[in-house]
Amino acid sequence: CATGSAAVRQGIRAIDANAARIVLVVGAEQMTTTSGPEIGKNLLKASYLPEEGDTPAGFAGVFGQIAQAYFQRYGDQSDALAMIAAKNHRNGVDNPYAQMRKDFGYEFCRHESEKNPFVAGPLKRTDCSLVSDGAAALVLADTATALKMRRAVAFRANEHVQDFLPMSKRDILAFEGCEQAWNQALNKAGVTLDDLSFVETHDCFTIAELIEYEAMGLAKPGEGAKLALDGETAKDGRLPVNPSGGLKAKGHPIGATGVSMHVLSAMQLVGEAGGIQVPGAKLGGIFNMGGAAVANYVSILDRIR
Amino acid sequence: CATGSAAVRQGIRAIDANAARIVLVVGAEQMTTTSGPEIGKNLLKASYLPEEGDTPAGFAGVFGQIAQAYFQRYGDQSDALAMIAAKNHRNGVDNPYAQMRKDFGYEFCRHESEKNPFVAGPLKRTDCSLVSDGAAALVLADTATALKMRRAVAFRANEHVQDFLPMSKRDILAFEGCEQAWNQALNKAGVTLDDLSFVETHDCFTIAELIEYEAMGLAKPGEGAKLALDGETAKDGRLPVNPSGGLKAKGHPIGATGVSMHVLSAMQLVGEAGGIQVPGAKLGGIFNMGGAAVANYVSILDRIR
């Protein structure tokens, strides 16, 4: 799920190693031609199969368990999850690259219905990202070359933190790899969350976005819900999160997602994001993960030209 | 099949990019717990499935077709293939890390028998590498650090050439990616094949080693057989090829193979290769490939301390 960001990172490294001056990074995935059960089986391979391989409902089941555990520790967060789903769907309406451009609204996302059944644990269909076909590409260049272009966006930071694969080896509600990647990236960039104009974060499930609020340091553990409920992460909030609509609305074509996050963030920074533009965006943060916070990639992007 | 070399290359790049000073590269694979048909299906994924996905006998079938085509263009090479198989099995006897340490001899490899049946096209069981469990690891370091160690081996070259995946888009008997990778590597290192003390090459099937003789420039197209028949690539020949026993004898644990080739070559260069030692080895060449010459990696190693 983070292979797109892994590819971006390898491209950066090739340039840093003077092995390349310009790198084309492409992420692509075709999922809709595969049957539902097989998709579930394939996605579950992002888990530690000896312990998690039998999870009912596949990878959604893994996050269903995470949501369940979160609710047990911090109380029912169904309101906040519905707010996140509704926010991202609302944002996605304005994204011409989104797979689903429909404003479902909070009420629809909040309540179980025939069209919004429970999928795994407390997660309903509107809490899950989509099965998608998609592709994204971007061009990386060394700084001198980039500065000759009409516009250029730089990596103020690009960090990768790899956590243990088995969930039994970590506090699965802490997303510690995500936290560490954000800390490293903010340090490297010499900025704080307050300096960011927006964040694109990995909302494969709404519970993931909620926990990521806490892991990135936007809220204390167990208090992420308040941000969602108060609209602080809405497009006109204190820190817009997933102005693109996130994986929730734009879809989650596995290998393309990380690349797409970088592309859409760069578009924000050069002021060419169209309907999803965050006014005056200056600095953007990206978090893309593989598995349940196993492979953690954070980039901080800055317009330099 | 070349992911081990891809990992080595990423490690080198991390050091070149000043992102790391010391890198541990690990390749590991467990294959023997998977059923035969499933292994075949998994390995075939190294092919272009829309065109090659129905190949009978899986990935062996792909190389069976290559052998068939080679025989049609250049005549029957069963003698040479048996010489290659016998040579590598002979070499493997002296390799304590080899999976199969048995000197089958030329006659056994040459003739069909109950224990050596045809597997795909003209390829018999002794023409195919093994289903293996295995692992290999090595430590990379920047030059300054390496020179502080008791012994050190340097990359005079490390090249990667990626060819088209579909066999229909290339002359499959030419292994052009292999040829280009060797050319680039020899140029980069400023040496010729005559300077090499030995080569470890990717003999997933004996026909592959035969074609690689030609692709690396050791023989003209269609004339690789002569090298094998004359013993020029035997351990005491002009250029020992696969003194370790190759994939044929040491096994082919997919993700480990490329790393293992580098480890065994480094052992040769520091004179610690035990029974498989090539006397006075000074410069070693490695060719590891993924698919049928799709991902092509060549390294040239040199002892610097």
Side-chain angles (χ1 to χ4, degrees), chain B residues 240-301:
Chain B
V241 174
N242 284 327
S244 71
L247 284 54
K248 176 73 273 217
K250 74 188 169 73
H252 184 19
I254 306 295
T257 289
V259 182
S260 149
M261 291 170 120
H262 285 82
V263 171
L264 290 164
S265 297
M267 287 165 68
Q268 290 280 5
L269 295 170
V270 297
E272 297 180 12
I276 60 169
Q277 182 69 48
V278 173
K282 288 210 160 49
L283 204 63
I286 297 166
F287 172 67
N288 179 205
M289 72 181 177
V294 178
N296 302 275
Y297 291 88
V298 171
S299 295
I300 294 180
L301 300 186

Side-chain angles (χ1 to χ4, degrees), chain A residues 10 13-14 16-19 45, chain B residues 9-10 13-14 16-17 19 45:
Chain A
Q10 290 307 336
R13 194 149 277 180
D16 284 347
N18 287 318
K45 288 180 185 164
Chain B
R9 188 168 169 79
Q10 290 307 336
R13 194 148 276 181
D16 284 348
K45 287 180 185 164

Side-chain angles (χ1 to χ4, degrees), chain B residues 119-137:
Chain B
V119 172
L123 299 181
K124 295 186 285 290
R125 184 175 290 164
T126 46
D127 292 304
C128 308
S129 56
L130 310 165
V131 169
S132 314
D133 300 334

